[in-house]
Amino acid sequence: MRFRSIRATVAALVAASCGGVVWGQDSPLALTPPAAETQQSVAVACVQPPPMVRWEDYHGPLQKVVGAFGRRLERKSAHAPHFKPGAALCVLSLHDKFLLSVRETFDPVTVLGIAYDAGISQAENDDPSYGQGAAGYGRRFGSGLAGEASSQFFKDVLYPTIFSQDPRYYRLAHGSARKRFLHALEHSVVAYREDGTQMFNFTEWLGTTSAVVLSNTYHPNNKRGVGPTATRVAYNVGGDIGFNVLREFWPEIARKFRLPFRGQNEPGSPRTDFEKH
């Protein structure tokens, strides 16, 4: 199976202006305090993330495209409460993780990207066993959707629950551009437990590997073996790293182009060197 995440994202952004309103009013996830905090009444209250941006927050060209893409980035972004020492972000319950997985899978940008990939795959006759015509396209689209659903389930629900890990990307949001860029790269190997401490990012690597191995069952033309599997895992992890870099600098990008984003005026959040230029 070939991966076209960059091309698919660009095509999805163009097509998203025609649909996706059903997700425009996502209700915020009902986050719960960390377990340790509920046991100690003297602990600092957990910090709720800012509310998700809305379609109505942006009034400019390609409004729905910008809104869809912004929500896609922000849904799995979180600000570590560096402005409130001793506080931790409120954790995601199992219900929250499942809801996050569903929203990520059926996000308009995701679905339109899968549709684009299926069209390119059909034109190039990838996986010839799928055939051509409407039936062949349907099989390719279905396999793409199944791959996305399994990937999100493994990385948002299963492994985060097993390892008590927060599946979100913790935006650094302060410091030099270089420091923040390295922080985004680091997230591929370092993640946060639900109590706010750091841990190895089992979710990224085990979740991606599980999704790639499972995809062999409905992609009969995939090359088997350790080498091809490792290549596909590395490609997918690289795509996740790219999105994390974009998540890290989304506030600056949003300010530059006057786009909506979460956490615009967090108390005590210093301006970065990136913002000043």
Side-chain angles (χ1 to χ4, degrees):
M1 178 181 66
R2 296 182 182 180
F3 300 94
R4 309 179 181 84
S5 58
I6 297 177
R7 289 189 296 175
T9 299
V10 173
L13 292 179
V14 176
S17 58
C18 300
V21 178
V22 293
W23 292 100
Q25 300 295 334
D26 283 355
S27 58
L29 296 177
L31 308 184
T32 56
E37 183 177 317
T38 59
Q39 296 172 1
Q40 300 180 12
S41 59
V42 296
V44 179
C46 69
V47 177
Q48 294 282 355
M52 188 72 69
V53 295
R54 303 171 302 163
W55 298 105
E56 297 83 356
D57 292 331
Y58 177 69
H59 302 281
L62 302 176
Q63 177 178 353
K64 291 184 178 180
V65 174
V66 172
F69 187 61
R71 294 176 70 83
R72 182 74 170 84
L73 289 175
E74 290 296 303
R75 189 175 288 117
K76 288 184 71 172
S77 299
H79 290 270
H82 54 81
F83 54 86
K84 194 172 183 180
L89 284 172
C90 298
V91 302
L92 298 174
S93 67
L94 180 59
H95 174 267
D96 295 331
K97 293 173 183 175
F98 182 77
L99 188 58
L100 176 64
S101 173
V102 171
R103 287 177 173 171
E104 286 286 286
T105 300
F106 295 100
D107 183 276
V109 173
T110 302
V111 173
L112 291 170
I114 293 171
Y116 174 84
D117 266 356
I120 296 299
S121 178
Q122 177 131 334
E124 297 179 352
N125 199 32
D126 287 347
D127 284 322
S129 60
Y130 285 159
Q132 289 293 316
Y137 179 82
R139 294 186 188 98
R140 289 179 172 87
F141 179 83
S143 66
L145 187 61
E148 185 66 29
S150 61
S151 177
Q152 298 301 339
F153 175 77
F154 287 135
K155 293 194 286 187
D156 292 343
V157 183
L158 182 61
Y159 290 114
T161 300
I162 292 175
F163 294 102
S164 297
Q165 182 176 317
D166 194 327
R168 297 169 293 183
Y169 169 75
Y170 277 40
R171 183 181 285 140
L172 186 60
H174 65 281
S176 67
R178 179 178 181 274
K179 180 179 179 180
R180 295 174 62 192
F181 177 76
L182 293 176
H183 172 78
L185 298 184
E186 183 185 65
H187 182 70
S188 63
V189 292
V190 179
Y192 284 87
R193 289 187 176 89
E194 293 180 343
D195 62 5
T197 60
Q198 292 183 333
M199 65 182 298
F200 178 76
N201 198 340
F202 292 104
T203 290
E204 178 66 45
W205 292 95
L206 292 180
T208 301
T209 301
S210 297
V212 167
V213 171
L214 181 62
S215 72
N216 289 334
T217 63
Y218 47 85
H219 283 284
N221 292 100
N222 275 0
K223 292 182 180 180
R224 269 59 172 177
V226 175
T229 298
T231 298
R232 291 196 293 274
V233 169
Y235 189 96
N236 279 276
V237 171
D240 289 343
I241 290 174
F243 271 104
N244 288 335
V245 171
L246 193 54
R247 288 185 176 103
E248 178 62 40
F249 293 104
W250 182 246
E252 286 75 23
I253 296 172
R255 289 191 183 98
K256 179 70 174 179
F257 296 99
R258 298 186 178 182
L259 309 177
F261 64 98
R262 299 194 312 179
Q264 183 171 2
N265 296 309
E266 288 190 12
S269 179
R271 291 177 61 84
T272 67
D273 294 339
F274 187 89
E275 291 178 74
K276 294 177 182 177
H277 293 287

